[in-house]
mmCIF file of all heavy atoms in Angstrom:
data_model
loop_
_atom_site.group_PDB
_atom_site.id
_atom_site.type_symbol
_atom_site.label_atom_id
_atom_site.label_comp_id
_atom_site.label_asym_id
_atom_site.label_seq_id
_atom_site.Cartn_x
_atom_site.Cartn_y
_atom_site.Cartn_z
ATOM 1 N N ARG A 1310 -2.665 29.254 -36.538
ATOM 2 C CA ARG A 1310 -1.892 28.507 -35.563
ATOM 3 C C ARG A 1310 -1.983 29.111 -34.168
ATOM 4 O O ARG A 1310 -1.248 28.697 -33.272
ATOM 5 C CB ARG A 1310 -0.441 28.420 -36.009
ATOM 6 C CG ARG A 1310 -0.330 27.619 -37.299
ATOM 7 C CD ARG A 1310 1.062 27.417 -37.825
ATOM 8 N NE ARG A 1310 2.142 27.998 -37.085
ATOM 9 C CZ ARG A 1310 3.177 28.610 -37.636
ATOM 10 N NH1 ARG A 1310 3.243 28.740 -38.935
ATOM 11 N NH2 ARG A 1310 4.139 29.085 -36.893
ATOM 12 N N GLY A 1311 -2.863 30.063 -33.951
ATOM 13 C CA GLY A 1311 -3.045 30.673 -32.645
ATOM 14 C C GLY A 1311 -4.096 29.915 -31.844
ATOM 15 O O GLY A 1311 -4.317 28.724 -32.060
ATOM 16 N N ALA A 1312 -4.750 30.597 -30.953
ATOM 17 C CA ALA A 1312 -5.788 29.997 -30.124
ATOM 18 C C ALA A 1312 -6.939 29.459 -30.976
ATOM 19 O O ALA A 1312 -7.186 29.935 -32.082
ATOM 20 C CB ALA A 1312 -6.311 31.027 -29.125
ATOM 21 N N ARG A 1313 -7.639 28.458 -30.465
ATOM 22 C CA ARG A 1313 -8.729 27.823 -31.210
ATOM 23 C C ARG A 1313 -9.795 28.836 -31.620
ATOM 24 O O ARG A 1313 -10.305 28.799 -32.738
ATOM 25 C CB ARG A 1313 -9.365 26.726 -30.370
ATOM 26 C CG ARG A 1313 -10.413 25.970 -31.153
ATOM 27 C CD ARG A 1313 -11.139 24.889 -30.419
ATOM 28 N NE ARG A 1313 -10.499 24.423 -29.214
ATOM 29 C CZ ARG A 1313 -11.101 23.673 -28.308
ATOM 30 N NH1 ARG A 1313 -12.338 23.308 -28.486
ATOM 31 N NH2 ARG A 1313 -10.478 23.288 -27.235
ATOM 32 N N TYR A 1314 -10.163 29.754 -30.723
ATOM 33 C CA TYR A 1314 -11.187 30.751 -31.027
ATOM 34 C C TYR A 1314 -10.800 31.556 -32.268
ATOM 35 O O TYR A 1314 -11.608 31.784 -33.156
ATOM 36 C CB TYR A 1314 -11.420 31.675 -29.842
ATOM 37 C CG TYR A 1314 -12.449 32.747 -30.115
ATOM 38 C CD1 TYR A 1314 -13.802 32.490 -29.925
ATOM 39 C CD2 TYR A 1314 -12.084 33.996 -30.589
ATOM 40 C CE1 TYR A 1314 -14.759 33.444 -30.198
ATOM 41 C CE2 TYR A 1314 -13.031 34.963 -30.865
ATOM 42 C CZ TYR A 1314 -14.363 34.687 -30.662
ATOM 43 O OH TYR A 1314 -15.309 35.635 -30.936
ATOM 44 N N THR A 1315 -9.532 31.976 -32.320
ATOM 45 C CA THR A 1315 -9.122 32.822 -33.449
ATOM 46 C C THR A 1315 -8.886 32.015 -34.720
ATOM 47 O O THR A 1315 -8.744 32.595 -35.796
ATOM 48 C CB THR A 1315 -7.871 33.654 -33.113
ATOM 49 O OG1 THR A 1315 -6.835 32.786 -32.675
ATOM 50 C CG2 THR A 1315 -8.174 34.690 -32.055
ATOM 51 N N LYS A 1316 -8.820 30.691 -34.620
ATOM 52 C CA LYS A 1316 -8.764 29.882 -35.841
ATOM 53 C C LYS A 1316 -10.081 30.000 -36.586
ATOM 54 O O LYS A 1316 -10.127 30.026 -37.806
ATOM 55 C CB LYS A 1316 -8.501 28.413 -35.504
ATOM 56 C CG LYS A 1316 -7.093 28.121 -35.105
ATOM 57 C CD LYS A 1316 -6.922 26.653 -34.825
ATOM 58 C CE LYS A 1316 -5.542 26.358 -34.319
ATOM 59 N NZ LYS A 1316 -5.356 24.944 -34.015
ATOM 60 N N ILE A 1317 -11.177 30.076 -35.816
ATOM 61 C CA ILE A 1317 -12.515 30.159 -36.386
ATOM 62 C C ILE A 1317 -12.894 31.609 -36.683
ATOM 63 O O ILE A 1317 -13.449 31.915 -37.725
ATOM 64 C CB ILE A 1317 -13.544 29.527 -35.439
ATOM 65 C CG1 ILE A 1317 -13.215 28.039 -35.240
ATOM 66 C CG2 ILE A 1317 -14.963 29.696 -35.964
ATOM 67 C CD1 ILE A 1317 -13.945 27.399 -34.091
ATOM 68 N N HIS A 1318 -12.593 32.513 -35.758
ATOM 69 C CA HIS A 1318 -12.941 33.929 -35.869
ATOM 70 C C HIS A 1318 -11.669 34.720 -36.146
ATOM 71 O O HIS A 1318 -10.987 35.144 -35.222
ATOM 72 C CB HIS A 1318 -13.599 34.435 -34.584
ATOM 73 C CG HIS A 1318 -14.791 33.651 -34.187
ATOM 74 N ND1 HIS A 1318 -14.717 32.549 -33.358
ATOM 75 C CD2 HIS A 1318 -16.093 33.788 -34.507
ATOM 76 C CE1 HIS A 1318 -15.920 32.056 -33.182
ATOM 77 N NE2 HIS A 1318 -16.783 32.791 -33.875
ATOM 78 N N LYS A 1319 -11.350 34.891 -37.395
ATOM 79 C CA LYS A 1319 -10.124 35.582 -37.783
ATOM 80 C C LYS A 1319 -10.133 37.034 -37.300
ATOM 81 O O LYS A 1319 -11.146 37.720 -37.423
ATOM 82 C CB LYS A 1319 -9.946 35.567 -39.302
ATOM 83 C CG LYS A 1319 -9.901 34.194 -39.909
ATOM 84 C CD LYS A 1319 -8.606 33.515 -39.604
ATOM 85 C CE LYS A 1319 -8.549 32.188 -40.344
ATOM 86 N NZ LYS A 1319 -7.768 31.209 -39.674
ATOM 87 N N PRO A 1320 -9.002 37.507 -36.748
ATOM 88 C CA PRO A 1320 -8.907 38.917 -36.335
ATOM 89 C C PRO A 1320 -9.106 39.835 -37.537
ATOM 90 O O PRO A 1320 -8.576 39.561 -38.618
ATOM 91 C CB PRO A 1320 -7.493 39.053 -35.790
ATOM 92 C CG PRO A 1320 -7.033 37.666 -35.508
ATOM 93 C CD PRO A 1320 -7.778 36.783 -36.462
ATOM 94 N N GLN A 1321 -9.871 40.886 -37.363
ATOM 95 C CA GLN A 1321 -10.145 41.822 -38.447
ATOM 96 C C GLN A 1321 -9.130 42.969 -38.464
ATOM 97 O O GLN A 1321 -8.627 43.346 -39.504
ATOM 98 C CB GLN A 1321 -11.561 42.405 -38.300
ATOM 99 C CG GLN A 1321 -12.649 41.363 -38.351
ATOM 100 C CD GLN A 1321 -12.692 40.653 -39.692
ATOM 101 O OE1 GLN A 1321 -12.645 41.295 -40.731
ATOM 102 N NE2 GLN A 1321 -12.760 39.340 -39.668
ATOM 103 N N GLU A 1322 -8.864 43.513 -37.288
ATOM 104 C CA GLU A 1322 -7.987 44.681 -37.202
ATOM 105 C C GLU A 1322 -7.423 44.769 -35.790
ATOM 106 O O GLU A 1322 -8.134 44.544 -34.819
ATOM 107 C CB GLU A 1322 -8.803 45.937 -37.509
ATOM 108 C CG GLU A 1322 -8.056 47.226 -37.372
ATOM 109 C CD GLU A 1322 -8.940 48.444 -37.586
ATOM 110 O OE1 GLU A 1322 -10.162 48.305 -37.665
ATOM 111 O OE2 GLU A 1322 -8.376 49.541 -37.643
ATOM 112 N N MET A 1323 -6.163 45.087 -35.677
ATOM 113 C CA MET A 1323 -5.568 45.276 -34.360
ATOM 114 C C MET A 1323 -5.745 46.750 -33.993
ATOM 115 O O MET A 1323 -5.321 47.641 -34.733
ATOM 116 C CB MET A 1323 -4.087 44.928 -34.366
ATOM 117 C CG MET A 1323 -3.493 45.047 -32.979
ATOM 118 S SD MET A 1323 -1.735 44.679 -32.885
ATOM 119 C CE MET A 1323 -1.680 43.015 -33.460
ATOM 120 N N VAL A 1324 -6.404 47.007 -32.885
ATOM 121 C CA VAL A 1324 -6.667 48.390 -32.488
ATOM 122 C C VAL A 1324 -5.818 48.813 -31.295
ATOM 123 O O VAL A 1324 -5.741 49.989 -30.976
ATOM 124 C CB VAL A 1324 -8.162 48.621 -32.168
ATOM 125 C CG1 VAL A 1324 -9.007 48.461 -33.416
ATOM 126 C CG2 VAL A 1324 -8.636 47.706 -31.068
ATOM 127 N N TYR A 1325 -5.187 47.835 -30.629
ATOM 128 C CA TYR A 1325 -4.398 48.166 -29.446
ATOM 129 C C TYR A 1325 -3.411 47.043 -29.174
ATOM 130 O O TYR A 1325 -3.732 45.874 -29.352
ATOM 131 C CB TYR A 1325 -5.325 48.342 -28.242
ATOM 132 C CG TYR A 1325 -4.605 48.697 -26.962
ATOM 133 C CD1 TYR A 1325 -4.250 50.005 -26.686
ATOM 134 C CD2 TYR A 1325 -4.277 47.724 -26.029
ATOM 135 C CE1 TYR A 1325 -3.578 50.339 -25.533
ATOM 136 C CE2 TYR A 1325 -3.600 48.052 -24.862
ATOM 137 C CZ TYR A 1325 -3.255 49.358 -24.621
ATOM 138 O OH TYR A 1325 -2.587 49.689 -23.475
ATOM 139 N N PHE A 1326 -2.210 47.376 -28.768
ATOM 140 C CA PHE A 1326 -1.267 46.356 -28.331
ATOM 141 C C PHE A 1326 -0.256 46.960 -27.373
ATOM 142 O O PHE A 1326 -0.032 48.169 -27.353
ATOM 143 C CB PHE A 1326 -0.559 45.690 -29.521
ATOM 144 C CG PHE A 1326 0.506 46.552 -30.159
ATOM 145 C CD1 PHE A 1326 1.824 46.437 -29.767
ATOM 146 C CD2 PHE A 1326 0.181 47.456 -31.148
ATOM 147 C CE1 PHE A 1326 2.805 47.213 -30.361
ATOM 148 C CE2 PHE A 1326 1.144 48.232 -31.744
ATOM 149 C CZ PHE A 1326 2.464 48.117 -31.348
ATOM 150 N N GLU A 1327 0.316 46.115 -26.559
ATOM 151 C CA GLU A 1327 1.395 46.473 -25.659
ATOM 152 C C GLU A 1327 2.446 45.379 -25.806
ATOM 153 O O GLU A 1327 2.110 44.228 -26.060
ATOM 154 C CB GLU A 1327 0.918 46.519 -24.207
ATOM 155 C CG GLU A 1327 -0.117 47.586 -23.919
ATOM 156 C CD GLU A 1327 -0.614 47.552 -22.471
ATOM 157 O OE1 GLU A 1327 -0.023 46.853 -21.628
ATOM 158 O OE2 GLU A 1327 -1.607 48.228 -22.202
ATOM 159 N N GLU A 1328 3.707 45.720 -25.649
ATOM 160 C CA GLU A 1328 4.777 44.737 -25.734
ATOM 161 C C GLU A 1328 5.390 44.533 -24.357
ATOM 162 O O GLU A 1328 5.560 45.491 -23.604
ATOM 163 C CB GLU A 1328 5.848 45.199 -26.714
ATOM 164 C CG GLU A 1328 5.369 45.237 -28.149
ATOM 165 C CD GLU A 1328 6.490 45.565 -29.118
ATOM 166 O OE1 GLU A 1328 7.418 44.735 -29.222
ATOM 167 O OE2 GLU A 1328 6.412 46.631 -29.729
ATOM 168 N N TYR A 1329 5.703 43.277 -24.048
ATOM 169 C CA TYR A 1329 6.316 42.922 -22.770
ATOM 170 C C TYR A 1329 7.510 42.023 -23.010
ATOM 171 O O TYR A 1329 7.568 41.308 -24.007
ATOM 172 C CB TYR A 1329 5.288 42.230 -21.860
ATOM 173 C CG TYR A 1329 4.257 43.196 -21.341
ATOM 174 C CD1 TYR A 1329 3.089 43.444 -22.045
ATOM 175 C CD2 TYR A 1329 4.475 43.903 -20.179
ATOM 176 C CE1 TYR A 1329 2.152 44.354 -21.595
ATOM 177 C CE2 TYR A 1329 3.544 44.813 -19.714
ATOM 178 C CZ TYR A 1329 2.390 45.037 -20.423
ATOM 179 O OH TYR A 1329 1.477 45.946 -19.972
ATOM 180 N N VAL A 1330 8.448 42.036 -22.068
ATOM 181 C CA VAL A 1330 9.670 41.252 -22.212
ATOM 182 C C VAL A 1330 9.446 39.771 -21.917
ATOM 183 O O VAL A 1330 10.224 38.932 -22.355
ATOM 184 C CB VAL A 1330 10.806 41.799 -21.309
ATOM 185 C CG1 VAL A 1330 11.232 43.182 -21.781
ATOM 186 C CG2 VAL A 1330 10.390 41.825 -19.852
ATOM 187 N N SER A 1331 8.391 39.456 -21.193
ATOM 188 C CA SER A 1331 8.127 38.047 -20.893
ATOM 189 C C SER A 1331 6.653 37.720 -21.112
ATOM 190 O O SER A 1331 5.790 38.590 -21.020
ATOM 191 C CB SER A 1331 8.505 37.716 -19.451
ATOM 192 O OG SER A 1331 7.587 38.295 -18.550
ATOM 193 N N ARG A 1332 6.405 36.467 -21.408
ATOM 194 C CA ARG A 1332 5.033 36.009 -21.624
ATOM 195 C C ARG A 1332 4.214 36.139 -20.338
ATOM 196 O O ARG A 1332 3.049 36.507 -20.390
ATOM 197 C CB ARG A 1332 5.043 34.566 -22.102
ATOM 198 C CG ARG A 1332 3.673 34.052 -22.403
ATOM 199 C CD ARG A 1332 3.717 32.614 -22.875
ATOM 200 N NE ARG A 1332 2.362 32.137 -23.028
ATOM 201 C CZ ARG A 1332 1.896 31.574 -24.108
ATOM 202 N NH1 ARG A 1332 2.677 31.409 -25.141
ATOM 203 N NH2 ARG A 1332 0.663 31.162 -24.163
ATOM 204 N N SER A 1333 4.823 35.868 -19.187
ATOM 205 C CA SER A 1333 4.078 35.942 -17.920
ATOM 206 C C SER A 1333 3.588 37.361 -17.640
ATOM 207 O O SER A 1333 2.460 37.551 -17.188
ATOM 208 C CB SER A 1333 4.910 35.413 -16.759
ATOM 209 O OG SER A 1333 6.061 36.197 -16.567
ATOM 210 N N LEU A 1334 4.408 38.360 -17.920
ATOM 211 C CA LEU A 1334 3.981 39.750 -17.732
ATOM 212 C C LEU A 1334 2.865 40.107 -18.715
ATOM 213 O O LEU A 1334 1.906 40.797 -18.364
ATOM 214 C CB LEU A 1334 5.151 40.712 -17.910
ATOM 215 C CG LEU A 1334 6.199 40.718 -16.808
ATOM 216 C CD1 LEU A 1334 7.379 41.593 -17.198
ATOM 217 C CD2 LEU A 1334 5.601 41.173 -15.491
ATOM 218 N N ALA A 1335 2.988 39.627 -19.942
ATOM 219 C CA ALA A 1335 1.962 39.897 -20.959
ATOM 220 C C ALA A 1335 0.637 39.257 -20.567
ATOM 221 O O ALA A 1335 -0.419 39.868 -20.711
ATOM 222 C CB ALA A 1335 2.419 39.391 -22.313
ATOM 223 N N MET A 1336 0.677 38.028 -20.061
ATOM 224 C CA MET A 1336 -0.541 37.327 -19.651
ATOM 225 C C MET A 1336 -1.196 38.024 -18.455
ATOM 226 O O MET A 1336 -2.420 38.125 -18.377
ATOM 227 C CB MET A 1336 -0.236 35.869 -19.307
ATOM 228 C CG MET A 1336 0.288 35.064 -20.489
ATOM 229 S SD MET A 1336 -0.883 34.898 -21.826
ATOM 230 C CE MET A 1336 -1.931 33.636 -21.160
ATOM 231 N N LYS A 1337 -0.381 38.520 -17.540
ATOM 232 C CA LYS A 1337 -0.905 39.260 -16.386
ATOM 233 C C LYS A 1337 -1.634 40.515 -16.852
ATOM 234 O O LYS A 1337 -2.740 40.812 -16.410
ATOM 235 C CB LYS A 1337 0.237 39.630 -15.434
ATOM 236 C CG LYS A 1337 -0.215 40.347 -14.200
ATOM 237 C CD LYS A 1337 0.948 40.649 -13.276
ATOM 238 C CE LYS A 1337 0.458 41.415 -12.064
ATOM 239 N NZ LYS A 1337 1.539 41.761 -11.151
ATOM 240 N N ARG A 1338 -1.026 41.236 -17.788
ATOM 241 C CA ARG A 1338 -1.654 42.460 -18.320
ATOM 242 C C ARG A 1338 -2.932 42.127 -19.085
ATOM 243 O O ARG A 1338 -3.929 42.847 -18.981
ATOM 244 C CB ARG A 1338 -0.671 43.203 -19.227
ATOM 245 C CG ARG A 1338 -1.239 44.461 -19.831
ATOM 246 C CD ARG A 1338 -1.648 45.471 -18.790
ATOM 247 N NE ARG A 1338 -2.097 46.681 -19.455
ATOM 248 C CZ ARG A 1338 -3.021 47.497 -18.987
ATOM 249 N NH1 ARG A 1338 -3.571 47.261 -17.818
ATOM 250 N NH2 ARG A 1338 -3.380 48.560 -19.664
ATOM 251 N N GLU A 1339 -2.924 41.009 -19.824
ATOM 252 C CA GLU A 1339 -4.125 40.597 -20.554
ATOM 253 C C GLU A 1339 -5.281 40.346 -19.586
ATOM 254 O O GLU A 1339 -6.413 40.749 -19.841
ATOM 255 C CB GLU A 1339 -3.854 39.337 -21.370
ATOM 256 C CG GLU A 1339 -5.044 38.885 -22.179
ATOM 257 C CD GLU A 1339 -4.786 37.646 -23.012
ATOM 258 O OE1 GLU A 1339 -3.716 37.027 -22.877
ATOM 259 O OE2 GLU A 1339 -5.676 37.288 -23.802
ATOM 260 N N ARG A 1340 -4.995 39.686 -18.466
ATOM 261 C CA ARG A 1340 -6.046 39.449 -17.456
ATOM 262 C C ARG A 1340 -6.585 40.765 -16.907
ATOM 263 O O ARG A 1340 -7.785 40.910 -16.696
ATOM 264 C CB ARG A 1340 -5.511 38.574 -16.327
ATOM 265 C CG ARG A 1340 -5.372 37.112 -16.706
ATOM 266 C CD ARG A 1340 -5.078 36.227 -15.514
ATOM 267 N NE ARG A 1340 -3.846 36.584 -14.825
ATOM 268 C CZ ARG A 1340 -2.631 36.137 -15.139
ATOM 269 N NH1 ARG A 1340 -2.478 35.320 -16.155
ATOM 270 N NH2 ARG A 1340 -1.578 36.518 -14.448
ATOM 271 N N GLU A 1341 -5.682 41.737 -16.681
ATOM 272 C CA GLU A 1341 -6.118 43.054 -16.194
ATOM 273 C C GLU A 1341 -7.047 43.718 -17.206
ATOM 274 O O GLU A 1341 -8.080 44.273 -16.834
ATOM 275 C CB GLU A 1341 -4.911 43.960 -15.940
ATOM 276 C CG GLU A 1341 -4.046 43.545 -14.778
ATOM 277 C CD GLU A 1341 -2.758 44.357 -14.680
ATOM 278 O OE1 GLU A 1341 -2.491 45.202 -15.570
ATOM 279 O OE2 GLU A 1341 -2.017 44.144 -13.713
ATOM 280 N N ILE A 1342 -6.682 43.674 -18.470
ATOM 281 C CA ILE A 1342 -7.480 44.313 -19.518
ATOM 282 C C ILE A 1342 -8.829 43.633 -19.661
ATOM 283 O O ILE A 1342 -9.856 44.292 -19.825
ATOM 284 C CB ILE A 1342 -6.715 44.335 -20.855
ATOM 285 C CG1 ILE A 1342 -5.519 45.292 -20.748
ATOM 286 C CG2 ILE A 1342 -7.624 44.744 -22.011
ATOM 287 C CD1 ILE A 1342 -4.581 45.264 -21.930
ATOM 288 N N LYS A 1343 -8.864 42.308 -19.572
ATOM 289 C CA LYS A 1343 -10.126 41.583 -19.702
ATOM 290 C C LYS A 1343 -11.112 41.935 -18.593
ATOM 291 O O LYS A 1343 -12.318 41.827 -18.778
ATOM 292 C CB LYS A 1343 -9.879 40.079 -19.729
ATOM 293 C CG LYS A 1343 -9.304 39.619 -21.048
ATOM 294 C CD LYS A 1343 -9.172 38.121 -21.095
ATOM 295 C CE LYS A 1343 -8.703 37.696 -22.470
ATOM 296 N NZ LYS A 1343 -8.805 36.263 -22.655
ATOM 297 N N LYS A 1344 -10.620 42.382 -17.452
ATOM 298 C CA LYS A 1344 -11.488 42.751 -16.332
ATOM 299 C C LYS A 1344 -12.079 44.150 -16.490
ATOM 300 O O LYS A 1344 -13.012 44.507 -15.772
ATOM 301 C CB LYS A 1344 -10.714 42.677 -15.013
ATOM 302 C CG LYS A 1344 -10.380 41.266 -14.603
ATOM 303 C CD LYS A 1344 -9.607 41.243 -13.310
ATOM 304 C CE LYS A 1344 -9.214 39.830 -12.928
ATOM 305 N NZ LYS A 1344 -8.426 39.798 -11.686
ATOM 306 N N LEU A 1345 -11.552 44.943 -17.424
ATOM 307 C CA LEU A 1345 -12.050 46.298 -17.635
ATOM 308 C C LEU A 1345 -13.440 46.261 -18.264
ATOM 309 O O LEU A 1345 -13.780 45.337 -18.997
ATOM 310 C CB LEU A 1345 -11.115 47.077 -18.558
ATOM 311 C CG LEU A 1345 -9.695 47.328 -18.076
ATOM 312 C CD1 LEU A 1345 -8.887 48.024 -19.171
ATOM 313 C CD2 LEU A 1345 -9.673 48.124 -16.792
#
């Protein structure tokens, strides 16, 4: 029930996560990480 990509490509293992109080802050951090 997540994003379309992960419906097809099931996650194998979670190697890193961060928790945020709001979705907007989490999405901002995700964009930062994707640029690394």
